[in-house]
Amino acid sequence: MTPSPLPRRSPALILALAALALAGCASKSPTPARYDFGPLPEVAATPGTAAGAPPLAALVLADVSGPAALDSERMQYRLLYADAQQTRPYAYNHWSGTPLQLLTQRLRARVAQAGVKVLAPSDAGAAAGTTLLRIEVEEFTQTFSSASQSQGSIRLRASAFRNHQLLDQRTFARSSAAASADAGGGARALAEASDALSADLLAWLATLPAAAKR
């Protein structure tokens, strides 16, 4: 017995079905996005300083250092309610630079905003007696306490040197609640935490002994 011929489909129907199939595939792959800390917010005065006066005239701020995982543009998050010991990368979202680079840029911008001359260790203007600040990041991640609630958490250790001698060393930590449970919310929360840490560092620097005048 000869099988019945398959019904023919019109070219228009075939094109419509193909378009629907492509649309379905596109909807399954989110658009990749890159995040940074956004514009520098305006600050009227720095906590711990008198009338907004800079805590010191100049500061040598070395590049921020940290673990190898932060020397990557991947955005990391941690599910505290599932496996607190494991960090996971977002599949389609990345930083525009590594977290260490973004923190270095943000801290230098914040210090300069406070009226302090910011120098790099290689600058010729980094004269003897200028305070050197080294920062090592211990934590920089978005942590989820539940599927719908997260926060951006940063913890770092700051060491201040002058004339190759340690003046003081402290650990600072800040967390900021994320407005949304996604990469964008985490990026904004981490930017807010970094700005809060900048204020903490400036307030601490203001308590260090002044450099001896020549």
Side-chain angles (χ1 to χ4, degrees):
M1 188 174 176
T2 305
S4 303
L6 294 174
R8 292 186 178 181
R9 295 178 178 177
S10 67
L13 179 58
I14 293 174
L15 289 174
L17 291 173
L20 287 173
L22 288 174
C25 292
S27 64
K28 295 178 183 178
S29 300
T31 303
R34 289 189 173 272
Y35 294 92
D36 56 23
F37 287 169
L40 192 68
E42 294 184 5
V43 178
T46 302
T49 62
L56 64 171
L59 177 70
V60 178
L61 181 52
D63 291 346
V64 175
S65 63
L70 297 181
D71 198 17
S72 166
E73 296 179 359
R74 284 191 169 188
M75 297 185 74
Q76 305 280 347
Y77 65 94
R78 191 186 299 271
L79 303 179
L80 299 180
Y81 62 91
D83 187 354
Q85 281 69 45
Q86 181 182 4
T87 57
R88 309 160 191 258
Y90 279 102
Y92 298 98
N93 302 281
H94 297 78
W95 293 108
S96 60
T98 71
L100 299 179
Q101 292 171 337
L102 294 175
L103 277 172
T104 299
Q105 295 167 2
R106 193 64 157 199
L107 289 173
R108 285 176 176 165
R110 277 296 198 176
V111 171
Q113 187 183 48
V116 180
K117 294 180 180 178
V118 183
L119 304 172
S122 59
D123 288 341
T130 305
T131 302
L132 166 66
L133 182 62
R134 294 190 181 277
I135 294 175
E136 183 178 358
V137 180
E138 298 176 346
E139 180 184 3
F140 181 95
T141 187
Q142 180 183 9
T143 56
F144 284 82
S145 55
S146 69
S148 59
Q149 291 184 328
S150 69
Q151 60 183 7
S153 299
I154 305 176
R155 185 177 66 253
L156 55 82
R157 181 170 61 254
S159 304
F161 298 86
R162 191 178 297 147
N163 296 326
H164 305 289
Q165 293 185 343
L166 179 66
L167 291 177
D168 196 7
Q169 183 181 87
R170 290 193 185 180
T171 298
F172 297 88
R174 282 282 189 166
S175 295
S176 180
S180 56
D182 54 14
R188 288 186 290 272
L190 286 164
E192 292 171 1
S194 71
D195 289 335
L197 281 173
S198 299
D200 294 341
L201 287 167
L202 285 166
W204 169 61
L205 290 171
T207 67
L208 299 179
K213 295 183 179 181
R214 295 189 169 214

